[in-house]
Structures are given as structure tokens and as C-alpha cells.
Amino acid sequence: MTDGQDDSRGTPRASEARAWSLYGEELSPGAQVGGYIVEGTRYRGSVSTLYRAKEARSGAPAALKVMHPQFAAARSALRRFQQEAETLKRLKHRHIVDVLEHGTLADGRPFIAMEWLEGRDLAAELAARGPFSARETLELLEQVGSALKAAHGAGVVHRDLKAQNVVVLAGEGAPRVKLVDFGVAKLLAPEEHPGAVMTSTGMVLGTPLSMAPEQIRGETPDARTDLYGLGVLLYQLVTGQPPFQGTTQVELEEQHLHAPVPRASERAPVPAALDAVVGRCLEKRREDRYADVDAVLVELRRAVQGERQGRTTQVRALGLYVEARMGVLVDDATLDAVDAMMEHARERADAVGLKVMVEGSSFLLGVAALPDGADAEREARRRVLELALALAEEPARGAGTARVRLTPTLHLDTATLRPDASGRPALGGGRLLRLSAWTGGHPGQGVVVTEAALAGLEDTFQVEVLPGREGLCHVTRHAA
């Protein structure tokens, strides 16, 4: 039997089998979608899958969003997906992802081809580097606000503004962002689009962590709904966490509907004027919020510029990043060991004057401003390096492949010194808190120190330059 023929038992043709292998529920590399060739799967969501692809003629990278087969026949889901494509085609803006093409596959599945954004979303950026300073946040929200203003001007409400839907583009210089995922966007029209997700409080679309009260109540959104999301994002960028958190969706909804807005200045070194901006964005009644995006940005600029006028300084500061590395097996005993070791690391950091500014379940960042004078500064760095070595030398906890070890990294860079809510000087953002720039080169054992933090201490410890990792050194004690 040759390819392309059926045998007497009804075996599928080889070409059909190959088509199924390429165009099954998940598209395989080589599948052609419109003018694009699939290269691989990047993210599988509940309704659609995102693929990396290339333009068939030029080879230029692209992102393909393809609806899952089981939803292609659902009128409401199909309408939402097609609406996203049409919405993005209308919104040509430097801070909104570009649509290149849209259409349907042979089996009826719709797709959207978009520009490929090299970078990571703001949620991943926050997880990697910690909170942003007020000034950095303003620079980011100027761009997000510009995108929202363009959308509102075109009669579109995003309705799902959150850190995961803002992509920070890779590259040098000041961060540049693009707004993505208009999958639940709504045209500013009288009729309500069907197909919303049912919750305990009504028909709503959006993400619980950033959902406006009117969305929870199932009311028709307008541009002020996005201002609520902008306030949530503002709070999250400067504090590292959303203003409202809960263990269930119902608990989150109750907080958005009834809980007072927490003050960002109580959790981060930002001016009290910024609290007022967050508070007005997060008013429960949309009538009490700002009138539009421009009004938000005007007040945010005033808050940040007031902070900058003679009240902030840049200081040299030392950062100690400690991460608990776990083995292959992770069970309850392993997680208990991680908790105990991180609590011990926190206590030791506090004892040498390090303020823990960023903390997660398996990592923390302790920061201290360095004293004036070369000798005093060198002694401060030596003391923190000794702590890092002590943490790295502690016996691993756990058993077998579940053993946990601490891996410290030490760096010196600039940080911002500004008054806290009580008026006392406090360390804030700055280059030192950009963790992704200096915490990614640890080999998994011992202490890693950047050249800036090690300067003048090379003779005190055993130093080995890490191959292929410019500016990073592996440091141990001199042999006795």
C-alpha cells in the first residue's frame, strides 16, 4: 500500500494522519495557520492556546492565539474571540500589541496572529525584582495610561487590566510596555455582550484580584471600570502585592465591594499623596472615581514629583539575596524545612542591620545603606559577606532528594532614600531592587558576590571568577 491510499480495513490515509498530527487539538510545529507556521506552544489557557510562530515568507516571529476546538462551536465564546481580533485591529498604538492577521482554521477554530513581544509581563517582573519605586511606577503607568486612553477614545473598555496583561519589552534603557489580552474587552455600546462567566454575585467578566465593584454586580462597565484596574495596578507595583487578597473568590468580591482601601505608604516607602490617588481610583462607586485616565495621571505626577523635589536621595546600598534551593522531591517536610531556614535567614539579616524589603516563600532580599568612609563601608560589606558564608555553610535540611540549601548572592548598587509615612528616612526602590539584573547566575552552592560588592575584600576570602558569568565571583573562606 502506498501513501495516500486506504487498505481494506479502512485505515486512514497517511496524509490524513499527518494532518491530524499537525492540526490536532494542540497544533504541532509545522502547522500552517493563515500566513504563519507554528514553531511551538508557549501557553495553554482555558479557552485558547498561544503559540510562537513565524511569518511564512519573511520568517519574522509572531504570536498565534488559537481557540480550543470545544469552544469554536459556542456562539458566545466565538463572538468574544472574534471581537478581540476586531478590537485590536482598531487600536493601533505603540503601547498596545499589534494584530497582524485573523481568520479561522479548516475545522472552524478562529485564530489571531499578533506581533511577538520579547519580554515578560509585569507580574513576572515583580516576582523577579520586587516592588517598583514611585518614580519607576509613574514611568510605567504613563505608558499603560496612554494605551487605555487610546482604547477609551476608540470606544473600548479593556475590563481586565492587571499585571499579567502588561508586557515589559526586553531591551536596554527605560522599560517599555505593551497592553495585551483584550479577550474580555467590551465596546462602549448600549447592548451587553452575552457569554459572561457566572459568579456568586452575578454575570461578570474579568479577574477577581482586580475586578471593579460594578463588574462583580454584573453592571455594564465603562471607562471608569478600567480606572479601578489602574488603581489596583498602581498599588501592586509599589507594594509588590494587590490591595485585596482572599482564599476564595467570594472573599475577594466582598473586599472589593465593601473593604476600605489599604494605604500603600504603610507597606512601601511612597509618599502619602500616592495613597490618595490609589484611594480615588478604588472608590466603590464609579461616580466617585476620576473622570478619565488623564485626571489619574495628573494626580499621580503631582504625588511623585512632590516626592522628588528635594526629598529623595540616591545612596550606595548593599543587597543580600537569599534563596532556598530544593531538591527534586518536594513534600510537606521539605516545605517546613524551607520555612524554618528562611525564618532563620531573616533573623540573621536583621541582626546585621539588613532590612528585608522583598520576601517570598523561598527567598528574601535584605538591604542596608552603606556608611560613609572607605574603611567603614568595607567593614560593612565584610560583615554581610561573613553572614552570607555562614548561611551557605549551614547543613542542608531534609533527606535524600528533598534536601534544602541556602544560596546567598551579594550585590552593591544604588537605592533610593526617602521619608516613610512617619517622616523617617527609609530605603525604597532603585537599581539594587532590580533583582533580575544580578540574581540569576548562582550555580546552586556557596556564595556568589558581584565585583562591586567584593571590591577591596579579594584578599580576605578565596575568590573564583564564575566562567561565562561576567562580573560574578564564587567566594569561600580561605583554607585553615
Side-chain angles (χ1 to χ4, degrees):
M1 184 180 71
T2 61
D3 284 352
Q5 295 180 326
D6 292 333
D7 66 13
S8 60
R9 295 185 295 265
T11 303
R13 296 174 182 269
S15 59
E16 292 175 353
R18 172 167 171 74
W20 173 250
S21 69
L22 287 177
Y23 299 95
E25 180 170 341
E26 186 164 302
L27 302 178
S28 297
Q32 181 153 3
V33 178
Y36 299 86
I37 307 297
V38 172
E39 292 186 321
T41 303
R42 285 306 171 98
Y43 174 75
R44 183 175 176 83
S46 58
V47 176
S48 60
T49 298
L50 184 70
Y51 301 91
R52 182 182 172 101
K54 63 180 179 181
E55 208 274 335
R57 289 178 297 179
S58 67
L64 278 176
K65 188 175 184 179
V66 182
M67 180 175 279
H68 296 164
Q70 62 267 36
F71 293 103
R75 181 179 299 176
S76 59
L78 188 60
R79 181 181 299 182
R80 278 179 56 198
F81 196 91
Q82 293 171 335
Q83 177 184 309
E84 179 180 10
E86 292 299 328
T87 297
L88 285 170
K89 279 186 66 178
R90 297 170 57 193
L91 300 178
K92 293 295 184 183
H93 190 273
R94 68 189 302 264
H95 294 301
I96 297 177
V97 65
D98 286 335
V99 163
L100 306 172
E101 180 185 338
H102 66 94
T104 57
L105 298 180
D107 61 7
R109 279 181 284 176
F111 72 86
I112 307 173
M114 297 170 284
E115 64 173 321
W116 180 262
L117 300 180
E118 199 65 54
R120 60 185 177 191
D121 63 52
L122 273 177
E125 192 75 12
L126 276 169
R129 58 146 284 171
F132 291 80
S133 69
R135 180 178 179 180
E136 291 169 327
T137 297
L138 173 61
E139 292 171 352
L140 293 172
L141 293 191
E142 290 273 16
Q143 300 174 55
V144 175
S146 175
L148 285 178
K149 184 178 177 182
H152 296 167
V156 175
V157 182
H158 189 282
R159 293 207 294 186
D160 197 20
L161 180 60
K162 58 184 179 180
Q164 290 87 345
N165 285 339
V166 180
V167 175
V168 182
L169 303 181
E172 298 295 329
R176 181 166 170 254
V177 303
K178 286 211 174 193
L179 188 57
V180 302
D181 203 348
F182 281 72
V184 298
K186 176 177 170 54
L187 301 178
L188 291 170
E191 68 273 15
E192 180 71 30
H193 291 282
V197 179
M198 176 67 78
T199 73
S200 61
T201 53
M203 301 291 284
V204 300
L205 283 169
T207 300
L209 281 174
S210 57
M211 197 177 291
E214 61 268 22
Q215 290 177 284
I216 296 171
R217 292 191 292 263
E219 299 168 0
T220 302
D222 62 23
R224 293 167 295 181
T225 302
D226 283 342
L227 302 190
Y228 191 93
L230 196 62
V232 171
L233 185 58
L234 169 57
Y235 184 96
Q236 187 174 0
L237 287 174
V238 298
T239 67
Q241 55 189 301
F244 302 120
Q245 301 180 72
T247 56
T248 66
Q249 182 165 321
V250 172
E251 185 180 344
L252 270 172
E253 290 176 354
E254 284 299 311
Q255 291 184 64
H256 283 294
L257 288 168
H258 305 297
V261 179
R263 294 182 178 274
S265 62
E266 293 179 357
R267 298 184 180 180
V270 296
L274 192 140
D275 290 333
V277 180
V278 173
R280 188 165 178 188
C281 285
L282 298 188
E283 287 285 356
K284 309 301 182 186
R285 298 173 65 251
R286 67 179 103 184
E287 296 81 5
D288 296 329
R289 295 175 205 151
Y290 293 101
D292 51 34
V293 174
D294 280 340
V296 177
L297 294 178
V298 166
E299 289 301 308
L300 183 57
R301 290 185 201 110
R302 287 175 180 167
V304 176
Q305 288 166 358
E307 172 206 38
R308 291 169 59 192
Q309 291 172 354
R311 301 205 301 148
T312 64
T313 55
Q314 294 293 313
V315 297
R316 285 162 55 84
L318 199 61
L320 176 63
Y321 180 82
V322 182
E323 182 179 2
R325 297 284 182 95
M326 290 167 272
V328 177
L329 175 66
V330 178
D331 54 17
D332 288 343
T334 306
L335 297 178
D336 288 343
V338 170
D339 289 343
M341 295 183 80
M342 294 310 302
E343 179 60 30
H344 175 65
R346 169 184 260 280
E347 292 173 355
R348 296 289 301 273
D350 184 65
V352 298
L354 292 170
K355 176 186 177 184
V356 175
M357 299 190 66
V358 181
E359 188 171 14
S361 59
S362 61
F363 69 91
L364 63 81
L365 170 68
V367 177
L370 289 169
D372 294 330
D375 291 343
E377 179 194 293
R378 188 163 50 251
E379 174 57 25
R381 288 189 284 114
R382 186 200 61 77
R383 188 168 61 251
V384 176
L385 181 48
E386 288 281 3
L387 168 61
L389 288 165
L391 292 174
E393 291 164 357
E394 289 186 357
R397 301 191 188 187
T401 58
R403 294 174 71 80
V404 181
R405 183 180 299 277
L406 295 180
T407 57
T409 303
L410 192 62
H411 181 47
L412 186 154
D413 211 324
T414 57
T416 303
L417 192 66
R418 60 168 66 89
D420 61 14
S422 64
R424 293 189 297 269
L427 283 167
R431 292 201 306 255
L432 185 62
L433 269 70
R434 296 175 183 172
L435 298 180
S436 58
W438 58 273
T439 61
H442 206 295
Q445 286 191 329
V447 176
V448 169
V449 185
T450 63
E451 290 179 347
L454 188 61
L457 298 174
E458 294 89 347
D459 295 338
T460 311
F461 302 94
Q462 188 75 32
V463 178
E464 178 186 359
V465 176
L466 288 174
R469 292 166 181 167
E470 185 177 356
L472 296 182
C473 302
H474 188 266
V475 175
T476 56
R477 300 183 194 277
H478 281 300

